[in-house]
Amino acid sequence: MDHTAHQTHGAAHNHAGPGEHHGGQAGASWGTAAKATVHCLTGCAIGEILGMVIGTALMWGNVSTMILAVTLAFVFGYSFTLLAVRRAGLDFRTALKVALAADTVSIAIMELVDNGIIALTPGAMDAHLGDGLFWAALLGGFAVAFLITTPVNKWMIGRGKGHAVVHAYH
């Protein structure tokens, strides 16, 4: 019997009372939430920038480039967690389940916010990689995405969801 799947459930479950987290603290700390958000944002940023560079180099249109960038953001975001929990000894299938559970909501919010800001910034969609407007919109989008996603991650971690699942393997 494969007990690693049970470890995932056990890692997300604690015996604290309602609204409590490890050690009797209410919810998760802002520091823990910020670290989880930075972890996700790093993978998202690498994937998104790589997608923008590839799409631009291949002279793709805005929609195709954005689809590639978002896809790579999810791939890199998941891969960071996947590699970390694989190093902790989980088999690939279980590690993939942990990565999907830990990162999906966080990455989705970041990508919606970041790409929404880029799309709504006048001229940003048509700016080139060498333009300051492109980088200002992209980095500004990442900053706003961080500010919006951190409280969501705090709420999820405090309830044993999201990155709380990964913390058992560090």
Side-chain angles (χ1 to χ4, degrees):
M1 178 175 197
D2 179 13
H3 294 285
T4 55
H6 299 290
Q7 289 173 350
T8 301
H9 173 66
H13 177 76
N14 66 44
H15 296 284
E20 293 181 343
H21 190 60
H22 305 287
Q25 298 172 352
S29 73
W30 283 104
T32 298
K35 286 178 188 175
T37 306
V38 166
H39 173 87
C40 267
L41 184 60
T42 302
C44 287
I46 290 169
E48 193 161 329
I49 291 169
L50 183 59
M52 297 282 187
V53 168
I54 291 170
T56 300
L58 296 175
M59 294 192 285
W60 288 359
N62 290 339
V63 173
S64 300
T65 299
M66 193 170 274
I67 289 170
L68 176 63
V70 169
T71 300
L72 290 177
F74 273 92
V75 168
F76 278 88
Y78 287 139
S79 68
F80 279 21
T81 299
L82 185 65
L83 292 172
V85 294
R86 287 281 292 143
R87 268 187 251 128
L90 268 67
D91 62 278
F92 181 81
R93 185 175 175 183
T94 304
L96 182 59
K97 288 179 183 179
V98 168
L100 292 172
D103 293 336
T104 299
V105 172
S106 184
I107 295 171
I109 292 170
M110 281 186 208
E111 288 305 301
L112 282 170
V113 171
D114 177 50
N115 285 288
I117 288 172
I118 292 169
L120 293 173
T121 301
M125 291 296 290
D126 296 319
H128 298 281
L129 295 175
D131 295 339
L133 178 60
F134 169 82
W135 292 103
L138 183 65
L139 297 176
F142 288 151
V144 173
F146 175 84
L147 293 174
I148 291 173
T149 307
T150 300
V152 174
N153 281 335
K154 182 181 186 309
W155 182 83
M156 289 176 54
I157 293 166
R159 281 147 189 79
K161 309 256 185 244
H163 281 268
V165 178
V166 175
H167 287 271
Y169 301 106
H170 287 276

